[in-house]
Amino acid sequence: MHRLGFAGDDAALVAALRRGDPGAPASLYDRHAPYLRRVIARVLGVDDEIPEVLQETFAQALASLDGLDDPRRLRAWLVRVAVFTARGVIRKRRRQRWLRFRAPEQVPEAPQAARDPEARLMLRRVYEVVERMPEKERVPFALRYFEGMELVDVADACAVSLATIKRRLKKARHRFAALAERDPLLRERVRASPHFGVDDG
């Protein structure tokens, strides 16, 4: 349910936020939180901090709303904020070398068809591989192949050119395939995947 009657009109919502309408932040959250939560989960994988990262995304967005040039592109701009917030979490953890322990049944949000035990195990193993990839490759890889974003949208979310994102995705595919080769459960699935035989165009 969208508040203040802004359903379908992000430009009006941005105008209300900039005017300081008291219900506008809640309406912003109602409309965009479900999709942003999914994007963050694709980038971070299994993670207890997804709710905190989501809240931080909205806090950062509200604090930097003046940086949104085109209110009609609010969702794309929010995705960029979410991606940069999630990347900050990845970088912080790598600097501090945090260890996270997970229950075997924990996996990121997955389509209903992929919720059988074998698929959940596969998904968990996939994210274990992705977490070993460099952040500049891991993030676009997740957005492209887990969330299914178009190349131009991945580039926009990562704030780089289309040519740059194509190069990073090519490296990411090769790295993922090499790492997955070491896992008997993933090896054949990766070899059969169309993503690893044809470059994005």
Side-chain angles (χ1 to χ4, degrees), residues 52-155:
E52 288 78 7
V53 176
L54 181 64
Q55 292 291 341
E56 180 62 20
T57 295
F58 280 99
Q60 292 290 339
L62 290 171
S64 58
L65 195 61
D66 289 343
L68 173 60
D69 296 326
D70 185 352
R72 295 169 300 179
R73 301 197 72 250
L74 174 62
R75 187 166 98 155
W77 180 76
L78 288 171
V79 168
R80 182 182 291 191
V81 176
V83 166
F84 273 78
T85 304
R87 287 172 65 177
V89 171
I90 294 170
R91 291 169 179 173
K92 180 180 179 181
R93 287 175 176 169
R94 286 189 171 171
R95 285 196 303 269
Q96 298 183 351
R97 297 182 180 179
W98 286 359
L99 296 176
R100 289 178 293 159
F101 299 93
R102 303 169 182 150
E105 68 274 10
Q106 288 182 309
V107 294
E109 180 183 346
Q112 187 66 40
R115 288 179 181 171
D116 62 90
E118 182 180 356
R120 289 175 67 84
L121 175 61
M122 181 70 68
L123 189 59
R124 181 163 57 90
R125 299 284 275 272
V126 166
Y127 270 96
E128 287 173 354
V129 170
V130 169
E131 287 187 351
R132 296 162 63 190
M133 297 166 63
E135 170 258 323
K136 286 186 177 182
E137 297 173 14
R138 168 182 172 174
V139 172
F141 184 88
L143 296 177
R144 176 63 169 161
Y145 299 118
F146 299 163
E147 182 54 27
M149 283 188 182
E150 297 294 331
L151 284 171
V152 64
D153 295 326
V154 177

Side-chain angles (χ1 to χ4, degrees), residues 25 27 34 43 48 50 58 71 76 86 100 104 118 127 146-147 158 168 170 172 182 186:
S27 187
V43 173
D48 293 336
I50 288 173
F58 280 99
R100 289 178 293 159
E118 182 180 356
Y127 270 96
F146 299 163
E147 182 54 27
C158 296
R168 289 184 183 178
K170 183 176 181 179
R182 305 173 191 173
L186 295 180

